[in-house]
Amino acid sequence: EHVVTFFRFIAEDLREHMARLGFRTVNEMVGRVDKLAPRRDIRHDKARQLDLARLLAPMPATERTGTFRSKSQDHGLETALDNELVRLAAPALERGERVSASFAIRNVNRTVGTILGQEITRRTGEAGLPDDTIHFKAVGSAGQSFMAFAPRGLTIELEGEANDYFGKGLSGGTAILYPPREATFDPNENVVCGNVALYGATSGRAFILGPAGERFCVRNSGAEVVVEGVGDHGCEYMTGGRVVVLGPVGRNFGAGMSGGIAYLWDEDARSRSRVNREMVELEDLVDPADEAELRALVEAHARLTGSLRARRILDTWAEQVRHFVKVMPLDYKRALAEMASESTDATSSARENGMVGVDAVPATVAAA
């Protein structure tokens, strides 16, 4: 309601300015450079030398048509690959049946999985479908925003490569990426996923066999992700979730990271020096719960992508676990400590009052 009120006042303010200028609609204002004048009170030497005459010159009358939208833009949604995916997924959408299928994909196919995800959400709401209800396999090169905003119940594995924004806003779905099985190159030496993958992901899981580009998992707030290397600015502004990097990281890793946990497999001790420690600290894996969580994610990665690196780490786990470093946000660590303290105080108070069981613990602490 506050947002609606805010924009209503913006619109009313705009109408007042338009009325003073003699306009009734926004379209009437477009191109009316005769209503604009450069400021004369600017004292900056370079700014005063700017000549804006050509920017403020009115367009010839013969070219004034088409200065604002005169026809609707065709986004080509009728020919989108997702239309076929929605058709294939009909048994799952209509009756909740499990569905699996394969399809070819090209880099002109952008936002694949997003329209299908919308259909799932429209029918099921935030809950989505049971995990892996729809399981598709794509083969080829995916365009931008593959599996963007994919909800729970949708799994797409991609054999090939993906462009930027892979898994953007992932919302419960599972995205799996690995190079072609017949490829002769080392997947750890070739980037298979573009920049800004998993940007703003809120939940779900992603497994990537090979390195991803820059700004990986920026603003991730809940997804669990395994990748075999990332570029600069990984996990920037991350607020939740888990990220496992089985390979090198670029500079400025973890900048502005206030929540979630990242586990770096730092075999050559180089990744540690690339972490931005302004808001995080590095810890060894001493907590059995951390080790169990990490191992489960690496096992899932090996199973779903066929990663030889993950398998080697698992086969020599006792040795390799010493090479992992835990990236822990200071704010998150402090919040966990405060919650643990509140839980201890509540339990002690309950015992003093003769109360036992979880009901004696505050609901917010028990839920955490």
Side-chain angles (χ1 to χ4, degrees), residues 164-210:
D164 297 345
Y165 289 103
F166 174 90
K168 173 179 66 180
L170 190 70
S171 301
T174 300
I176 305 166
L177 171 61
Y178 50 85
R181 294 304 190 191
E182 69 275 10
T184 57
F185 61 79
D186 182 353
N188 300 126
E189 300 296 332
N190 295 268
V191 174
V192 297
C193 185
N195 297 325
V196 209
L198 283 303
Y199 177 88
T202 60
S203 57
R205 302 200 302 171
F207 303 93
I208 302 172
L209 174 54

Side-chain angles (χ1 to χ4, degrees), residues 128-315:
L129 293 168
D131 290 336
D132 214 32
T133 299
I134 302 173
H135 191 127
F136 288 148
K137 178 180 179 180
V139 179
S141 179
Q144 292 183 351
S145 300
F146 178 83
M147 284 283 281
F149 309 106
R152 181 171 178 252
L154 175 59
T155 298
I156 302 184
E157 59 177 290
L158 171 60
E159 180 177 348
E161 59 187 359
N163 279 276
D164 297 345
Y165 289 103
F166 174 90
K168 173 179 66 180
L170 190 70
S171 301
T174 300
I176 305 166
L177 171 61
Y178 50 85
R181 294 304 190 191
E182 69 275 10
T184 57
F185 61 79
D186 182 353
N188 300 126
E189 300 296 332
N190 295 268
V191 174
V192 297
C193 185
N195 297 325
V196 209
L198 283 303
Y199 177 88
T202 60
S203 57
R205 302 200 302 171
F207 303 93
I208 302 172
L209 174 54
E214 299 185 352
R215 299 195 180 280
F216 185 83
C217 270
V218 170
R219 298 192 184 280
N220 174 33
S221 63
E224 297 179 342
V225 184
V226 183
V227 65
E228 303 197 1
V230 299
D232 296 342
H233 314 296
C235 295
E236 189 177 31
Y237 304 122
M238 181 166 144
T239 61
R242 298 293 185 269
V243 174
V244 179
V245 185
L246 305 179
V249 303
R251 62 186 178 87
N252 204 38
F253 186 93
M257 180 178 173
S258 60
I261 297 173
Y263 299 103
L264 308 183
W265 184 61
D266 196 18
E267 188 177 32
D268 57 8
R270 293 183 181 180
S271 293
R272 298 168 185 260
S273 63
R274 296 169 180 166
V275 175
N276 184 323
R277 304 196 190 190
E278 184 176 352
M279 294 181 62
V280 303
E281 65 180 13
L282 304 183
E283 301 178 355
D284 294 327
L285 262 69
V286 295
D287 188 340
D290 288 340
E291 183 177 341
E293 176 182 62
L294 171 61
R295 177 158 188 156
L297 287 170
V298 176
E299 287 175 343
H301 181 68
R303 182 179 71 256
L304 295 172
T305 69
S307 169
L308 296 179
R309 173 174 288 180
R311 179 49 55 194
R312 178 169 67 87
I313 292 174
L314 291 169
D315 290 343

Side-chain angles (χ1 to χ4, degrees), residues 28-98:
E28 292 177 2
M29 295 191 294
V30 177
R32 291 296 302 273
V33 292
D34 57 299
K35 295 292 186 178
L36 300 175
R39 288 176 53 181
R40 302 298 182 186
D41 59 341
I42 296 178
R43 305 192 178 200
H44 193 281
D45 289 339
K46 290 185 177 180
R48 293 177 63 182
Q49 295 176 32
L50 290 175
D51 183 2
L52 304 179
R54 300 188 68 176
L55 286 178
L56 300 178
M59 297 173 61
T62 56
E63 298 181 15
R64 289 190 61 81
T65 57
T67 54
F68 56 86
R69 195 190 79 164
S70 56
K71 61 180 180 180
S72 298
Q73 185 177 0
D74 181 9
H75 295 281
L77 295 181
E78 294 77 11
T79 61
L81 178 59
D82 263 49
N83 293 314
E84 176 63 13
L85 302 187
V86 171
R87 185 188 68 79
L88 292 171
L93 296 173
E94 296 170 4
R95 299 183 295 277
E97 299 176 3
R98 289 189 175 273

Side-chain angles (χ1 to χ4, degrees), residues 324-348:
F324 278 95
V325 59
K326 178 182 177 182
V327 181
M328 187 67 175
L330 300 174
D331 288 345
Y332 185 40
K333 184 176 183 178
R334 182 168 56 252
L336 291 177
E338 291 174 354
M339 291 167 63
S341 177
E342 291 176 5
S343 177
T344 301
D345 293 344
T347 302
S348 299

Side-chain angles (χ1 to χ4, degrees), residues 107-139:
N107 60 4
V108 296
N109 302 129
R110 291 173 293 192
T111 66
V112 170
T114 305
I115 294 177
L116 174 56
Q118 180 268 150
E119 290 294 330
I120 296 173
T121 302
R122 188 165 63 86
R123 289 169 167 81
T124 64
E126 186 178 353
L129 293 168
D131 290 336
D132 214 32
T133 299
I134 302 173
H135 191 127
F136 288 148
K137 178 180 179 180
V139 179

